[in-house]
Amino acid sequence: MKTLIIENIDLKKIGELKTVSRYFCELPDIIALGEGDIPGNYGKAWQSSQTLPPNLVPSIVQLAKLENYEVILLSVSTLGTGLAGPLSAALSAPVVTEVTAIHSDMVIERPIYGGKAIIKQKIESTPVVLTIRRKYFEPEVLEGHTSSIPLNTESEKVQLISEKNEQTDGVPLEDAPVVVSGGRGIGNADNFSLLQTLADQLNGAVGASRGAVDEGWASPTRQIGQTGKIVAPSVYFAVGVSGASQHLAGIANSKCVVAINKDEEANIFNRARFGLVCDYQKIIPQLTQAIKENR
Amino acid sequence: MHIAVLAKVVPDYLVPSMDFELSNNRAHERFSRMLGLYDENAIETAIQIKEKTSGSLTLISYGSENDIQFLRKGAAMGADQLILVKGTSDDAAVIAGNLMAALQSIDNVDLVLAGQQSADMDRGVVPGILAQMLGVPFIPQIGDVDHENGSWTVTQITAQGKRELEFSGPGVLSITSIPENVPRIPAVRAIFAAKKKPVIKLESTDQKKMALNELEVAIPKIECVCEFIDVEDPGQAVRILLNRLNEERYL
């Protein structure tokens, strides 16, 4: 099936979509957004420095119709979410978001009800637009580069005024082997420094629940969960995190969850491999110290 | 200034995974119903715009008449009127088409807001489909919204940080949660006043469904047994935890 990947130039994201494309074709085409070389091999490649979906939709629709693409693959991201609905409407294509598994005969799976249930659907016609949830497909190692044709984007419905990326020291949250995450039970923003100290000792990163972000204790870029970042670390420390299903959806692929919570009834213990029912302030500093001494 | 907010009444999204049950491939009817997870953030954002611009706010939903009692929370928060399109479809294109019909039934709408995604089907595509049908921009994951000199300035929360975007004319935005749009709790007086606010009921119209065939809905098995570590002596608890993490090669 003729397949088109649309993604920003990002090794991991494109790698995951390339893996997914194998279910549909041998060699997909790509529209790569942003500056730089396009990593990996493709049938055809287009490139644009334009990264705002409303400005890209007309050109992508035109290209999709011209090339008769049957499958359009996007990541779950601001780009993918921004494109999926409009492309579906413009191409009269079914759209399935947050895909977590693909079977034969165009059968796909995705979570519903905050991950409390999984729906299996069969795609009955093409073209189809799919957005792929991060961390569910092993990224293909992208070798070499592909030269591209410029994608003309004349539409300027939306203007970018400014962009501010947060500087993060150390390993990015999505790729961290250890994540130390704080929820409302942390109590205030200052206490997140305890989690940062522990994460630093483990070469990890600090995350947060939606509740902690809503309180203003952590940046939205730290939010883990269905509508935040999807993580799959070896160890996920859930500190003062109640374990709402929407949060658990973001840590489903973690190998080991360690839950530290005063409330023994907290839902997080249903997902945890190890549980400590106590005030985290009694444990985290000691844990940090013990790891430091063991090095 | 006329803002429309799309809202969906959904089964209680706070039900823990362990207690979740299905009937007829959907959340069991025994679960209470409520406004969606992000819909209240969208309503709060719209109220803030309404207050700044002395505008009006219409809450639009697609669902059953029983949903009206839950939608009234939006009216208590500050919406001026409710529009319910009566329908039962779960199809994103059908929902978007009916929401568009509702939008076209009222005076010129300057901006349409929706929650980032519904708390039942978790798709996040209806606002984007609707925007394309209306021929206006769709921008997801929006925190702040401002209106100055005839243009909208919005803050989009991205994976790396945020960006400021600007556009003119109507658009559709999906709203994410930020500390500044945590939903207000309506006063008792506002709750009573909401009962008198107008509710317009519309019949749903035929729309082309997406070519997706639902095969199965299942509750995933959670195969995880928690090993609780005694914390009476925190130092000892930490040693046991680290030993266990090392034994099982997680660290």
Side-chain angles (χ1 to χ4, degrees):
Chain A
M1 300 182 100
K2 206 166 173 191
T3 301
L4 175 69
I5 289 170
I6 307 170
E7 187 48 275
N8 291 315
I9 294 179
D10 177 306
L11 278 175
K12 288 226 163 97
K13 284 183 185 171
I14 294 177
E16 286 177 14
L17 295 179
K18 194 92 188 285
T19 297
V20 173
S21 74
R22 301 288 182 202
Y23 290 93
F24 307 109
C25 71
E26 279 189 25
L27 194 63
D29 292 350
I30 189 168
I31 294 175
L33 305 171
E35 306 294 343
D37 293 335
I38 300 176
N41 296 310
Y42 309 90
K44 290 179 182 172
W46 287 267
Q47 188 166 4
S48 172
S49 57
Q50 176 61 255
T51 58
L52 300 180
N55 302 340
L56 287 160
V57 168
S59 308
I60 295 171
V61 169
Q62 195 177 17
L63 186 70
K65 286 178 175 173
L66 187 72
E67 295 282 340
N68 287 312
Y69 286 114
E70 293 163 285
V71 180
I72 295 175
L73 295 178
L74 304 153
S75 300
V76 175
S77 62
T78 46
L79 175 73
T81 306
L83 288 173
L87 291 181
S88 162
L91 298 168
S92 300
V95 57
V96 185
T97 57
E98 306 263 357
V99 172
T100 53
I102 300 169
H103 306 281
S104 56
D105 295 334
M106 299 292 277
V107 172
I108 47 89
E109 283 182 22
R110 60 181 305 275
I112 55 175
Y113 298 115
K116 291 192 279 269
I118 304 289
I119 188 168
K120 210 179 256 189
Q121 293 170 295
K122 182 172 167 56
I123 298 158
E124 301 281 13
S125 77
T126 58
V128 63
V129 178
L130 303 178
T131 73
I132 308 300
R133 185 176 275 197
R134 300 289 320 277
K135 303 288 178 182
Y136 276 78
F137 297 89
E138 197 60 37
E140 183 175 308
V141 177
L142 302 172
E143 290 172 345
H145 293 100
T146 300
S147 55
S148 63
I149 306 159
L151 179 77
N152 294 320
T153 53
E154 290 168 17
S155 165
E156 275 288 346
K157 288 181 178 175
V158 178
Q159 287 80 43
L160 176 65
I161 305 302
S162 66
E163 185 153 22
K164 191 177 173 185
N165 290 340
E166 287 178 12
Q167 292 300 314
T168 48
D169 297 329
V171 63
L173 181 54
E174 301 97 312
D175 304 324
V178 176
V179 172
V180 184
S181 196
R184 272 205 169 95
I186 291 295
N188 62 53
D190 291 345
N191 289 344
F192 265 82
S193 62
L194 287 175
L195 308 189
Q196 186 66 60
T197 310
L198 174 59
D200 290 346
Q201 287 299 324
L202 292 162
N203 190 30
V206 171
S209 72
R210 179 177 183 250
V213 171
D214 282 355
E215 293 287 354
W217 302 341
S219 157
T221 58
R222 296 264 161 219
Q223 188 175 318
I224 290 169
Q226 183 186 24
T227 51
K229 287 193 165 80
I230 306 290
V231 296
S234 183
V235 184
Y236 183 83
F237 288 94
V239 186
V241 172
S242 63
S245 59
Q246 291 79 10
H247 185 79
L248 299 185
I251 64 169
N253 292 336
S254 301
K255 291 189 179 68
C256 171
V257 175
V258 177
I260 303 168
N261 199 302
K262 278 196 290 195
D263 176 10
E264 62 183 329
E265 299 293 315
N267 193 47
I268 191 70
F269 290 118
N270 292 317
R271 174 59 183 85
R273 176 69 190 84
F274 300 107
L276 292 87
V277 181
C278 64
D279 179 350
Y280 75 93
Q281 300 214 37
K282 287 180 181 168
I283 291 289
I284 297 294
Q286 297 234 29
L287 185 57
T288 307
Q289 189 59 33
I291 291 163
K292 201 172 180 179
E293 285 168 3
N294 285 342
R295 298 215 145 185
Chain B
M1 182 66 64
H2 187 183
I3 313 293
V5 176
L6 313 177
K8 191 176 188 185
V9 175
V10 295
D12 183 354
Y13 51 79
L14 298 172
V15 171
S17 314
M18 304 299 285
D19 301 332
F20 190 69
E21 263 185 276
L22 293 166
S23 65
N24 299 321
N25 283 344
R26 291 296 180 267
H28 201 285
E29 296 89 350
R30 72 180 175 84
F31 297 127
S32 55
R33 293 176 67 77
M34 55 178 61
L35 276 175
L37 186 62
Y38 288 95
D39 296 1
E40 290 188 31
N41 297 102
I43 295 166
E44 177 61 40
T45 304
I47 294 164
Q48 290 175 18
I49 301 167
K50 174 188 157 177
E51 287 170 345
K52 277 184 201 167
T53 60
S54 305
S56 60
L57 168 55
T58 301
L59 193 60
I60 302 175
S61 188
Y62 172 90
S64 78
E65 286 202 57
N66 279 341
D67 293 346
I68 291 169
Q69 59 187 306
F70 306 105
L71 292 165
R72 286 203 191 274
K73 183 178 181 184
M77 285 170 71
D80 300 296
Q81 64 173 348
L82 308 178
I83 299 179
L84 175 77
V85 186
K86 292 187 283 181
T88 56
S89 177
D90 268 331
D91 185 279
V94 171
I95 295 169
N98 276 288
L99 291 171
M100 187 170 80
L103 279 166
Q104 289 171 334
S105 74
I106 51 179
D107 288 342
N108 287 341
V109 171
D110 297 289
L111 189 69
V112 180
L113 304 184
Q116 187 173 313
Q117 61 185 55
S118 66
D120 53 358
M121 300 313 284
D122 290 336
R123 281 180 301 229
V125 291
V126 168
I129 294 170
L130 175 67
Q132 189 67 24
M133 287 174 166
L134 294 167
V136 301
F138 166 61
I139 315 175
Q141 284 171 238
I142 296 300
D144 294 311
V145 181
D146 267 316
H147 188 259
E148 274 183 24
N149 307 322
S151 291
W152 295 104
T153 308
V154 299
T155 305
Q156 184 178 49
I157 308 298
T158 66
Q160 293 80 31
K162 56 187 180 182
R163 51 190 181 188
E164 301 289 324
L165 305 170
E166 189 179 79
F167 65 96
S168 299
V172 179
L173 309 175
S174 73
I175 303 294
T176 191
S177 63
I178 56 168
E180 292 77 10
N181 68 18
V182 169
R184 67 192 63 193
I185 297 166
V188 174
R189 198 175 46 186
I191 293 168
F192 280 105
K195 292 178 181 174
K196 294 180 182 152
K197 289 186 178 176
V199 179
I200 300 162
K201 297 175 197 171
L202 303 175
E203 297 299 327
S204 60
T205 53
D206 284 343
Q207 304 286 335
K208 191 181 171 200
K209 288 176 75 172
M210 284 189 187
L212 294 169
N213 181 17
E214 186 175 315
L215 303 178
E216 179 188 285
V217 177
I219 295 175
K221 286 188 177 72
I222 301 172
E223 291 169 352
C224 194
V225 178
C226 186
E227 185 179 316
F228 285 94
I229 295 167
D230 184 5
V231 290
E232 199 164 328
D233 177 350
Q236 179 69 0
V238 160
R239 280 190 291 278
I240 292 169
L241 174 63
L242 287 175
N243 283 340
R244 299 290 289 114
L245 289 172
N246 285 317
E247 277 168 17
E248 299 200 13
R249 302 195 172 190
Y250 291 125
L251 280 182

